[in-house]
Amino acid sequence: MFHSPSARQVARTPADLAPMPLYRPETISEALAALHESGGTIYAGGTDFFAGVRQGLSPKALIWVAAIAEMKGCTIDSNGLHMGALNTHDESVAAPELDAVPGLAEAWSKIATVRIRHQATLGGNLMARRERYELSILLTALGATARMVGPELQVDMPVQDLWQADLEKTPLLASITIPLDNAPMLAYERSMRPTFTQALCRRGQALRCVMATEWLQPWFKDAPLDADAGQMMSGLPADFHDPAVSRAHLVRAGSVFLKRQIARLEDLA
Ligand SMILES: Cc1cc2nc3c(=O)[nH]c(=O)nc-3n(C[C@H](O)[C@H](O)[C@H](O)COP(=O)(O)OP(=O)(O)OC[C@H]3O[C@@H](n4cnc5c(N)ncnc54)[C@H](O)[C@@H]3O)c2cc1C
């Protein structure tokens, strides 16, 4: 499961970029039209974009989506908690709707630095598709779905499928939905980062545990509430290891943390 990065660090700065068209759409339809016309790159908070430039990204055009109101805000309805892809980390954590999922705001509040939290978006964190970014871990644990839109198609897919999603037909992430049935609650452990992180969601009588490392896409396991932590962690695939950590260590340490997190959720319930 470990993939070496295809792009290498190169000596480039944004000043090395050639001038390019900048689109500022105000609706999703305008953004999709601009993408189609220019073959450009979506730019939300831009914090990952500049890392991409240093790694060799040379966009033909920028589609700066920050003004699209329909991709902002949080709402709750019978389908769950909906969060716009353009919400920054800080805006998300401050939204009262997040109280519907105990533990989520606390976990999210630990991500990144003050400057980044103010600028970086939910959509950018997921769509950068970098293993070391954390929202895919939290949202996979919560069974969230991503609404991907294209000119002719709209698809709701599990967040864990975004890693492999074909962005040709549906290039834009519009929003995320967390189902609220059976009162989900979340515990998150990132004290071992970058070696590993672990999220645990309890939903009624069911648990979902997610393990991730700096280099590996999140792995998840569903189990009943009374499941044994060691047994859950022993389900880690044989190839779940990376240059920094062995599978055996992940199973051992992961079991210890999982026991603690199950107890933490017991207290929250
Ligand atoms: C110093 C620093 C520290 C950080 N620490 C952490 C950390 O501790 N934990 C963590 O999880 N992350 C961390 N990050 C990552 C940060 O959270 C991401 O950079 C951020 O979430 C990306 O959001 P953005 O809006 O800036 O994305 P952008 O840079 O605008 O975009 C990122 C990518 O996503 C695409 N994209 C953006 N929005 C959409 C959309 N709606 N639909 C389709 N594609 C889209 C863009 O085309 C681009 O490929 C850190 C980043 C920095 C620079």
Side-chain angles (χ1 to χ4, degrees), residues 71 112 173 231 252:
M71 286 170 61
L173 171 62
Q231 236 168 24
R252 245 188 343 263

Side-chain angles (χ1 to χ4, degrees), residues 17-89:
L17 290 177
M20 71 189 86
L22 172 67
Y23 293 77
R24 290 220 60 189
E26 293 184 357
T27 63
I28 288 178
S29 313
E30 286 175 12
L32 294 171
L35 272 171
H36 180 71
E37 179 181 294
S38 66
T41 299
I42 296 171
Y43 182 105
T47 60
D48 184 83
F49 170 80
F50 288 110
V53 168
R54 284 193 294 278
Q55 291 176 320
L57 175 70
S58 286
K60 292 185 194 155
L62 284 188
I63 321 298
W64 191 8
V65 290
I68 304 181
E70 59 196 301
M71 286 170 61
K72 294 181 185 173
C74 290
T75 55
I76 292 181
D77 66 17
S78 57
N79 293 319
L81 164 62
H82 308 283
M83 303 180 291
L86 282 176
N87 296 348
T88 64
H89 296 317

Side-chain angles (χ1 to χ4, degrees), residues 83 89 93 98 101 103-111 117 122 125-126 133-145 159-160 163 176-178 184-190 197-203 208-212 218 220 261:
M83 303 180 291
H89 296 317
V93 167
L98 253 70
V101 184
L104 175 58
E106 189 199 339
W108 203 331
S109 69
K110 301 201 169 102
I111 286 180
R117 296 184 53 73
L122 160 58
N125 191 282
L126 291 172
Y133 291 176
E134 296 164 79
L135 285 181
S136 76
I137 304 166
L138 304 183
L139 294 170
T140 296
L142 289 165
T145 54
V159 161
Q160 63 267 24
W163 294 98
I176 292 292
T177 298
I178 299 174
M185 56 184 78
L186 185 75
Y188 186 46
E189 182 56 65
R190 72 196 290 278
T197 47
Q198 185 187 70
L200 180 69
C201 171
R202 174 174 167 178
R203 193 182 277 278
R208 173 173 284 190
C209 172
V210 180
M211 285 286 283
F220 69 90
Q261 301 227 79

Side-chain angles (χ1 to χ4, degrees), residues 125-174:
N125 191 282
L126 291 172
M127 297 312 293
R129 301 203 279 193
R130 294 190 193 269
E131 285 81 353
R132 66 177 183 274
Y133 291 176
E134 296 164 79
L135 285 181
S136 76
I137 304 166
L138 304 183
L139 294 170
T140 296
L142 289 165
T145 54
R147 172 152 296 183
M148 300 300 296
V149 291
E152 287 158 14
L153 202 60
Q154 172 175 296
V155 182
D156 290 328
M157 63 174 70
V159 161
Q160 63 267 24
D161 291 353
L162 284 176
W163 294 98
Q164 278 77 40
D166 175 2
L167 302 181
E168 286 293 314
K169 290 194 174 133
T170 53
L172 189 70
L173 171 62

